[in-house]
Amino acid sequence: MRILAINGSHRPGKGTATLLQAALDAAKEEGADVELIELSQLNIGFCVGCNTCMGKPHCPIDDDMHEVVSKMLEADGIVLGSPDYFSNVSSRMKAFMERTRPLHMIENALKGKVGGAVVTAGLPDCGAEKTLAELNHFFAIQEVTAVNPRPAGPVAGNGPIATQFAGLDETGRTRWRNVKADSTGFAFARQLGKDMVKLIERLAV
Ligand SMILES: Cc1cc2nc3c(=O)[nH]c(=O)nc-3n(C[C@H](O)[C@H](O)[C@H](O)COP(=O)(O)O)c2cc1C
């Protein structure tokens, strides 16, 4: 079983990558082969709206997207990660999504795969849930079955969202922490990895 994570952050190895890796680590513990792709390390151009993919499942742009598409087609599960930028995905993640149009226009080539989404943000209640919903809606368009995890125990959050907010200091100013300190968001991300493996196994029988 292969699970591929795709990071839409402009900053490789930072918060979003770490949250994705938490999901992958948990999936690996359950037996999956895992890989993390940093879009920022690849040459992926914008979709230019040539509409070639309306006639055949092909994109004429000669760049690294073709390798990413091959890996997506080989994977059983795909985890997408993005920072929350103005209550939406990063421009890099959006550009990637647009370039998947050849996987969608003739038929949904990713249909039946299992998806999962994670988001990092500066603040709670500042758009991250909408960003998560954008990623999950992308999966819906592609007929990828998205997992929504819930770690055991009392309700502590609403998805694999990790934030940098660390409360207010005595003067009322915001205190920041590394996104890695959001143990709730990371618990959700780990649960996502586990749940994806379980669902892939169930769908395989
Ligand atoms: C252009 C820009 C827009 C942002 N918009 C929001 C926002 O709307 N809400 C929020 O909570 N954080 C926002 N942030 C903070 C990022 O979501 C946060 O820094 C994120 O965790 C960075 O992920 P990374 O470490 O992978 O780069 C924004 C940051 C930038 C640079």
Side-chain angles (χ1 to χ4, degrees):
M1 178 194 305
R2 284 193 63 74
I3 297 189
L4 179 69
I6 298 175
N7 186 14
S9 171
H10 304 300
R11 304 194 310 156
K14 298 294 187 184
T16 312
T18 311
L19 194 59
L20 282 167
Q21 193 61 54
L24 290 184
D25 288 347
K28 193 173 176 183
E29 287 165 24
E30 300 291 323
D33 290 330
V34 299
E35 181 181 355
L36 172 66
I37 292 180
E38 296 274 12
L39 294 179
S40 63
Q41 302 303 291
L42 301 176
N43 172 32
I44 297 178
F46 291 122
C47 169
V48 292
C50 71
N51 286 326
T52 300
C53 61
M54 289 181 74
K56 53 183 174 180
H58 174 71
C59 177
I61 300 172
D62 183 16
D63 64 10
D64 293 335
M65 188 63 189
H66 297 278
E67 195 188 334
V68 178
V69 164
S70 297
K71 289 187 174 186
M72 290 170 82
L73 290 170
E74 282 166 16
D76 303 291
I78 299 168
V79 195
L80 296 182
S82 178
D84 167 10
Y85 276 13
F86 286 91
S87 305
N88 216 312
V89 297
S90 67
S91 53
R92 191 179 296 279
M93 174 54 73
K94 184 62 165 56
F96 159 80
M97 287 172 163
E98 290 169 15
R99 287 292 304 282
T100 66
R101 195 178 185 225
L103 295 171
H104 168 67
M105 287 310 284
I106 307 295
E107 61 174 6
N108 274 332
L110 301 177
K111 180 176 179 175
K113 295 186 189 293
V114 168
V118 308
V119 171
T120 57
L123 293 166
D125 309 317
C126 195
E129 288 189 23
K130 177 171 176 290
T131 305
L132 192 70
E134 302 287 356
L135 292 169
N136 281 321
H137 191 65
F138 169 81
F139 285 133
I141 291 168
Q142 298 278 9
E143 286 184 273
V144 170
T145 303
V147 163
N148 286 284
R150 159 85 189 265
V155 182
N158 202 16
I161 295 168
T163 68
Q164 294 164 314
F165 183 69
L168 304 176
D169 68 15
E170 54 288 346
T171 66
R173 285 170 50 181
T174 304
R175 285 189 289 120
W176 300 103
R177 65 186 177 189
N178 189 306
V179 77
K180 293 176 197 169
D182 187 338
S183 56
T184 302
F186 275 75
F188 269 90
R190 281 187 53 79
Q191 190 67 45
L192 176 72
K194 288 176 190 288
D195 288 357
M196 286 180 71
V197 171
K198 290 212 176 72
L199 182 56
I200 292 165
E201 284 171 350
R202 247 194 266 165
L203 291 173
V205 292

